Amino acid sequence: MTFSRRKFFAVAGTTAVGTLMVSPMEGLLSRQAFGRKLGKGYGPLVPDPNGLLDLPAGFKYRTFSLTGELMNDGTKVPGGHDGMAAFPGPRNTVILVRNHELSPTSETQVQGPNPYDPFCKGGTTNLVVGSNRQLIKHFTSLSGTYRNCAGGLTPWGSWISCEENTSTPTSFPLGDRNYVSKFHGYNFEVPASTTTAVKPEPLIAMGRFNHEAVAVDPKTGIVYETEDRGDSLFYRFIPKERGKLEKGGTLQALKFKDIFQAQTFADFPKRKPMKVEWVTITEPNPPEDTVRVEGFAKGAAQFARGEGIWYGDGEFYFCCTSGGALGLGQVWRYIPAKETIELFVESTSAAELENPDNIVVSPYGDLILCEDGDDQQFLVGVTPKGELYQFARNAINDSEFAGACFSPDGKTLFVNIQTPGITFAIWGPWTSHRG
């Protein structure tokens, strides 16, 4: 993931960049050069003259909030840009809450006045973006947490930031670079409206495990949670009081109604809805990383590295990054009104889809998947019929895409390249692929 100092300053000077129109032959050549199959979508990707982000013709982008830049609170933008969500702000602004997936050994850190654990470097930053897609301000909003990978937005205007690590003070001896002073593996809530760093409060009842992402059912207030492990479970948290996650609730894990301890890694039929039920986790905050062990013992289904999840139109879509016969990824669809789950997409080749991570349901009917594979990284679109297409390519290096989310008006797609840490705003001729 090399990134030269010279290119960094080129990115820092980038404002809006328009992609060029290409001939059919040029489009064919570009596809061959990328070595990836192109399905339906917005057309072939056009090589970016700035060498940052290849997009279909007609789309533009702007970059901001790069690692190392000085923020409005006097701290520097940390690295590890990851999960993110967009909220409506005052005076036609957009507020982004952005995770930073940083460990105690990371070279950069989220700096705040009241860290949860002073030995940890992860957390979140808030960004205020104007109607012209220009950055107005950015600042630390959560600090002292461990590997904030993804999370999810809530209907009440907050971001749930998830720790993807379950270290404890006894995991490493004092003095080890990985030492922590508190238990980790929790969710933390960050209001989009905050103007300063929040006081971190772990949402203990939501479980202590390798959290990845969450999504909230706006009809019920139930929170669905993914877990990034090879033998992960799919959870739901039923709060005692809607919108008040800190007041506790019940944690449960999904079980296939007719399959005890289902293992969904491979050999599941696509587009076949299967009935589910839920088993209750009696120890959501165990001293060891055993939440998934308890759930599986009760018959819950295992998934291959549950990662990004997003809600849209009564349905939840979540990625299993290493799922499928080839280990290249799956996308599952859960419909709470029917209590069914089905395998929606499974990659059949790296040219088609390679290890999807974060996910967003677009306002235009498609899913946008952020790849986290071993080579070239793409944003991959999925139509309502399950057809795959490339929407963007990281032209900088082989670092993952993360944090894809749309502005409240649906006109701008925000996304991160994790390393060296860049946030993009993308806009252009969006079209509906419904029907």
Side-chain angles (χ1 to χ4, degrees):
M1 288 181 268
T2 58
F3 191 78
S4 69
R5 182 175 177 85
R6 185 175 182 180
K7 176 161 278 192
F8 180 88
F9 285 111
V11 176
T14 300
T15 55
V17 179
T19 58
L20 304 175
M21 298 298 293
V22 295
S23 68
M25 180 56 68
E26 286 173 321
L28 175 62
L29 292 175
S30 69
R31 291 200 301 277
Q32 291 174 340
F34 298 155
R36 303 293 299 269
K37 184 172 70 175
L38 180 72
K40 294 183 179 180
Y42 293 92
L45 304 183
V46 182
D48 179 9
N50 288 307
L52 303 181
L53 192 66
D54 299 332
L55 294 166
F59 281 88
K60 302 178 181 180
Y61 70 80
R62 176 171 284 132
T63 65
F64 46 77
S65 196
L66 282 67
T67 297
E69 290 182 347
L70 189 65
M71 296 196 293
N72 296 77
D73 59 1
T75 68
K76 291 184 178 181
V77 177
H81 295 31
D82 212 288
M84 190 165 64
F87 302 83
R91 296 178 293 279
N92 296 317
T93 60
V94 174
I95 299 172
L96 298 173
V97 187
R98 181 182 62 195
N99 270 8
H100 294 271
E101 187 183 14
L102 299 172
S103 303
T105 58
S106 296
E107 294 182 358
T108 67
Q109 72 178 87
V110 183
Q111 295 177 298
N114 45 359
Y116 170 70
D117 182 340
F119 290 93
C120 290
K121 298 180 178 180
T124 65
T125 50
N126 279 30
L127 294 73
V128 180
V129 181
S131 57
N132 59 356
R133 303 180 180 91
Q134 294 276 17
L135 181 67
I136 296 174
K137 65 178 179 179
H138 46 166
F139 56 90
T140 293
S141 51
L142 174 74
S143 66
T145 48
Y146 202 136
R147 288 193 63 185
N148 301 68
C149 196
L153 77 169
T154 72
W156 49 89
S158 65
W159 167 255
I160 306 300
S161 185
C162 301
E163 288 189 307
E164 191 194 10
N165 188 277
T166 56
S167 290
T168 71
T170 58
S171 298
F172 302 94
L174 183 63
D176 189 285
R177 292 184 66 214
N178 289 289
Y179 176 78
V180 298
S181 64
K182 292 187 177 181
F183 275 64
H184 292 272
Y186 298 116
N187 293 336
F188 294 81
E189 188 162 14
V190 179
S193 60
T194 188
T195 57
T196 59
V198 302
K199 180 181 179 182
E201 297 289 350
L203 300 170
I204 293 173
M206 295 186 74
R208 194 180 82 83
F209 53 86
N210 245 42
H211 283 280
E212 175 67 30
V214 305
V216 182
D217 188 337
K219 298 178 182 178
T220 63
I222 295 174
V223 185
Y224 294 86
E225 309 182 66
T226 58
E227 179 179 27
D228 189 359
R229 283 201 178 274
D231 57 349
S232 68
L233 307 187
F234 181 58
Y235 303 93
R236 73 176 183 184
F237 177 69
I238 306 174
K240 290 180 180 179
E241 186 176 339
R242 179 189 177 101
K244 303 292 183 180
L245 305 180
E246 73 280 3
K247 293 190 175 182
T250 302
L251 183 67
Q252 298 181 321
L254 180 142
K255 173 186 175 295
F256 283 77
K257 194 167 187 179
D258 298 323
I259 307 176
F260 189 80
Q261 295 182 334
Q263 293 180 307
T264 68
F265 314 139
D267 301 322
F268 261 75
K270 287 200 308 183
R271 301 302 184 88
K272 181 182 178 181
M274 304 181 73
K275 286 289 186 179
V276 303
E277 56 191 13
W278 298 85
V279 298
T280 297
I281 303 296
T282 57
E283 184 50 85
N285 186 34
E288 304 296 333
D289 182 18
T290 56
V291 171
R292 71 191 187 286
V293 176
E294 178 189 341
F296 186 64
K298 294 178 176 179
Q302 289 181 333
F303 295 88
R305 290 189 61 198
E307 296 214 55
I309 182 172
W310 208 272
Y311 170 88
D313 197 23
E315 302 174 336
F316 291 86
Y317 293 87
F318 67 94
C319 293
C320 286
T321 295
S322 57
L326 300 179
L328 292 172
Q330 301 167 320
V331 178
W332 291 81
R333 173 166 61 186
Y334 167 67
I335 304 177
K338 298 180 180 179
E339 284 293 5
T340 61
I341 193 169
E342 63 183 286
L343 178 57
F344 186 68
V345 168
E346 181 173 310
S347 177
T348 60
S349 72
E352 180 179 71
L353 176 66
E354 187 175 10
N355 304 122
D357 189 335
N358 288 180
I359 184 174
V360 65
V361 179
S362 87
Y364 307 98
D366 292 3
L367 308 177
I368 301 293
L369 312 179
C370 297
E371 285 191 329
D372 182 14
D374 295 326
D375 195 1
Q376 296 183 95
Q377 306 299 310
F378 290 80
L379 289 178
V380 177
V382 185
T383 71
K385 294 181 180 180
E387 300 164 320
L388 303 176
Y389 63 90
Q390 297 168 1
F391 175 73
R393 184 181 80 100
N394 173 359
I396 302 171
N397 54 26
D398 61 354
S399 179
E400 67 184 271
F401 280 108
C405 58
F406 280 85
S407 59
D409 65 6
K411 295 180 180 179
T412 305
L413 171 65
F414 297 98
V415 71
N416 300 314
I417 287 178
Q418 187 172 86
T419 303
I422 306 171
T423 297
F424 291 84
I426 303 169
W427 67 98
W430 302 108
T431 57
S432 176
H433 293 133
R434 291 189 177 93

